[in-house]
Amino acid sequence: MRWVQALLFFALLPLSLSHFWGSDAEIQDAAWAIGIYFALLWGYVLWMIVQPGDVKRRNVLIPTVFTAVVGIVLVLFLQEMPFFSLLYSATEWNFSPARLLGFVAGVGVIEEGVKLLPIWWLAVKLREIRTPREAAFYAGLSGLAFGVAEAVAYSMAYTEMNFYAQYYGLTGDGHYVILEFLRLITLPFLHCMFSGIAGYYLGLSLLAPQRRTALLLLGVGLAATIHGFYNFFASTWLGVVVAAIAILMFIAYLRSAEQITQHITRQGQGTSPAQPVTVSLEKEVTL
């Protein structure tokens, strides 16, 4: 039974890793293993939420491998470009509107745009994606891959900072554990939600070619805005609120997926949508 196989895998993998590495585990290897472990769990949750239908292995591998390898390098390259480097430097300023702008127009736009690139390729060039649900699912996987790769880099930095913090008595070990927990478990899922929203709009653009550019820009812009607001408020309780809004927004879009699809399809055919569809859209999207 598949669910028994999955139960054995997720229950025994951490135990197997402890025996495989023993006391010789490097922080980078351990971070990758734990990050991928929870990404697989989140991927299953994403599949349950989105219900994309038939999933092709190639369409799973392309965005995850591209984003985790090429995407990270591309982000590092773009953030050094003159305009974007200024926006990134603004994120280091004090609590100010300029700092928020840096997180939204700099970090948010670059990361969400890069994460959406392989999904755009699958949908527009290869035509392997046809519905908003499929686009949201594969974009969510791309976000998970990016979140894990980013978490590994931060895990190594956190380990070094924890060593010096412990040496000088600045923080306790608990702070280090919480940071690792946040990076390896929670933040990859938030990346998944941000990317899923952008992917959903990419899926809508497939249904309305005449408005494809506008819908793509709207999707990336919305995801970048939520992403930037989370980063801006991450050190406060408002960060938790923004994260909750992102998750609820993603679910609300999926609940309205078929109705929005009918709405856009009818507009493309030149007929006016029925009134119940419009009312339902307003109720669902403003959840």
Side-chain angles (χ1 to χ4, degrees), residues 194-274:
F194 302 149
S195 300
I197 292 173
Y200 181 80
Y201 275 90
L202 171 60
L204 291 180
S205 73
L206 301 176
L207 305 176
Q210 70 280 7
R211 290 184 292 170
R212 177 167 295 170
T213 301
L215 286 169
L216 281 173
L217 292 176
L218 178 60
V220 173
L222 181 59
T225 300
I226 301 172
H227 187 159
F229 268 82
Y230 171 77
N231 285 356
F232 185 71
F233 293 113
S235 59
T236 70
W237 279 101
L238 285 176
V240 180
V241 175
V242 175
I245 290 174
I247 296 171
L248 294 176
M249 182 180 296
F250 181 70
I251 294 174
Y253 280 132
L254 293 174
R255 289 186 63 188
S256 303
E258 282 68 31
Q259 296 164 330
I260 295 177
T261 298
Q262 293 176 8
H263 179 76
I264 291 181
T265 303
R266 289 177 181 177
Q267 281 193 337
Q269 294 173 348
T271 58
S272 60

Side-chain angles (χ1 to χ4, degrees), residues 64 66 68 107 125 137 175 182 212 214 247 286:
T64 53
F66 175 89
V107 178
K125 296 299 182 180
F137 175 73
H175 180 65
L182 178 66
R212 177 167 295 170
I247 296 171
T286 56

